[in-house]
Amino acid sequence: MAGASGLDGIVAADTVLSDVDGEAGRLVIRGVPVEVLAAREGFEGAAARLWEGFVDDGLDRAKVLDVLGRARATAFAHVDKAVAAGAGLEPVPALRAGLATLPDLAGFHPAYAFTAAAPVILAALLRQRNGLAAVAPDPSLTTAQDLLRMLRGKQATSAEAAALDAYLTTVSDHGFNASTFTARVVASTQVGVGPSAVAALAALEGPLHGGAPGPVLDMLDGIGGRENIKTWLESRLTSGERLMGFGHRVYKVRDPRADVLKGAVRTLSRDAGRLAFAEQVEADAIAILARVKPGRRLDTNVEFYTALLLEALEIPRAAFTAIFAVGRMAGWTAHALEQARDGRLIRPLSRYVGPRPKEAA
Ligand code: ACO
């Protein structure tokens, strides 16, 4: 039945932005393997690659670092309105509402404006939940350094900033996932980058996409201790539940981003016991999934170690998906621009299987 297919295996467009090889477990972003990008170029380097030729020509990490920093400072002038729009909402809808209020930031391409505004608005929203005033950005910092600083009101350690930078880089783009496809559908109407990114954020929120890392921690908490791992996992699978942080539509082997993030968690090493426990859960889950779901090839996805990384950075669970959006904004904006420039209006057909009008007697 076509409606149940989820468009598996359908190529919906050509893109120069990223390549997900699900059989080999490989992710390449604009020609560079994700492991290399995270280790050598960081989030601003990834954005420079993604935006090259779409936002500007001759982009490099230094230029993007400079412009994003200045755009954060400019976006801060609009933060009160954005926070008011998101008041009382959970972080993702609040960020969506906040971003929707963003006016044109004069002198900044919308890709810069939205990628800069996301961490500024998110940090202010999360502080407001705790009754704290927003902290102004520091344009000289990287997005990762400044996001942690705006969240906490003080500078993060270099290891913490490096770990968040690795995370933002790792999730900056990933083929035609649900949120990116959403961005491209919206961009194909020529509405512009901002609304395309806001729409993408709605798609990211679901637990089958970017909403899994919070529930991964709920799972680790629910299991409690090593002695419970196998029984807990088996009982959930028997009752038809899915294990969060496992399985992927495209990857049939381990998600390459999981190892980048696991490495980053290890550098923080705040709680080595927590990581060892998670590794045991991971190993047992993979073994049990292979037995309970034979032939499905269910392995660890990006969300498993995302959860541990963001927990080690003391980011509140409810904000995990919104932090994901800060990184993915680089990819959404690039895809929106590629679609608007090179694509056509996306307008597929559906097959009508509902009731037919009754013929006149
Ligand atoms: N736990 C248990 N069973 C699973 C899991 C899982 N995590 N993932 C898939 N399966 C099973 C399904 O129950 C199904 O079994 P069945 O054929 O016996 O009914 C089979 O594997 C295929 O499942 P589909 O839903 O067709 O696979 P799909 O490609 O649509 O799903 C998805 C991919 C949504 C990521 C899925 O693996 C899942 O729900 N994982 C858990 C949630 C999660 O980790 N989400 C984050 C994904 S990463 C990201 O988007 C950033």
Side-chain angles (χ1 to χ4, degrees):
M1 178 187 169
S5 77
L7 303 181
D8 286 43
I10 308 275
V11 174
D14 289 344
T15 181
V16 298
L17 297 171
S18 59
D19 182 31
V20 182
D21 182 339
E23 290 295 329
R26 205 170 138 83
L27 167 61
V28 170
I29 297 178
R30 213 94 197 252
V32 185
V34 70
E35 310 74 23
V36 177
L37 199 59
R40 297 198 194 143
E41 300 185 25
F43 179 65
E44 280 74 12
R49 287 189 178 273
L50 288 165
W51 293 343
E52 171 63 26
F54 294 108
V55 169
D56 207 350
D57 292 328
L59 286 182
D60 60 18
R61 180 181 180 276
K63 180 160 185 198
V64 169
L65 186 65
D66 170 54
V67 181
L68 271 183
R70 290 188 287 107
R72 281 198 306 279
T74 305
F76 189 69
H78 306 281
V79 84
D80 288 347
K81 195 172 172 198
V83 167
L89 301 175
E90 286 302 304
V92 172
L95 180 59
R96 219 164 54 219
L99 285 170
T101 68
L102 194 71
D104 276 352
L105 298 188
F108 295 101
H109 187 286
Y112 281 115
F114 277 82
T115 307
V120 172
I121 294 173
L122 178 60
L125 282 164
L126 295 177
R127 285 178 69 82
Q128 193 227 26
R129 281 160 75 96
N130 295 324
L132 299 168
V135 172
D138 177 344
S140 71
L141 300 180
T142 66
T143 301
Q145 288 169 330
D146 212 14
L147 175 52
L148 289 172
R149 191 186 136 275
M150 290 186 288
L151 282 169
R152 298 172 177 181
K154 63 177 193 280
Q155 200 104 354
T157 66
S158 55
E160 288 173 324
L164 184 61
D165 186 61
Y167 172 68
L168 298 178
T169 309
T170 301
V171 299
S172 61
D173 198 41
H174 199 242
F176 266 38
N177 57 84
S179 57
T180 300
F181 187 55
T182 303
R184 292 194 70 126
V185 171
V186 176
S188 83
T189 70
Q190 301 290 342
V191 70
V193 167
S196 307
V198 171
L201 184 47
L204 185 73
E205 192 180 357
L208 300 191
H209 188 15
V216 167
L217 291 188
D218 297 338
M219 172 176 76
L220 296 182
D221 291 349
I223 295 171
R226 280 173 183 266
E227 64 287 0
N228 304 327
I229 298 177
K230 289 190 175 127
T231 345
W232 194 96
L233 294 174
E234 283 186 4
S235 77
R236 295 302 147 130
L237 287 171
T238 310
S239 61
E241 284 182 38
R242 290 182 178 214
L243 302 181
M244 291 294 134
F246 297 91
H248 198 275
R249 174 63 63 82
V250 182
Y251 290 122
K252 300 305 169 203
V253 293
R254 189 179 172 78
D255 185 329
R257 299 170 296 177
D259 284 326
V260 177
L261 298 179
K262 186 171 168 180
V265 177
R266 197 161 270 136
T267 64
L268 296 174
S269 69
R270 190 160 297 153
D271 183 353
R274 180 77 160 162
L275 180 57
F277 173 61
E279 285 176 317
Q280 189 60 55
V281 172
E282 180 189 19
D284 288 345
I286 291 170
I288 294 169
L289 282 167
R291 180 162 46 76
V292 176
K293 299 274 174 188
R296 301 282 192 276
R297 301 173 72 186
L298 299 169
D299 211 320
T300 320
N301 66 43
V302 68
E303 303 287 39
F304 192 78
Y305 285 103
T306 289
L308 291 155
L309 179 74
L310 298 183
E311 178 184 55
L313 290 172
E314 294 168 4
I315 287 169
R317 240 170 245 206
F320 284 4
T321 307
I323 299 278
F324 187 160
V326 171
R328 186 54 61 83
M329 192 61 80
W332 288 334
T333 50
H335 277 275
L337 292 165
E338 185 182 49
Q339 179 65 39
R341 192 184 74 182
D342 303 341
R344 289 180 72 214
L345 174 70
I346 296 176
R347 204 306 183 191
L349 296 176
S350 54
R351 183 170 54 232
Y352 180 67
V353 294
R356 298 278 169 195
K358 298 221 177 349
E359 296 301 329

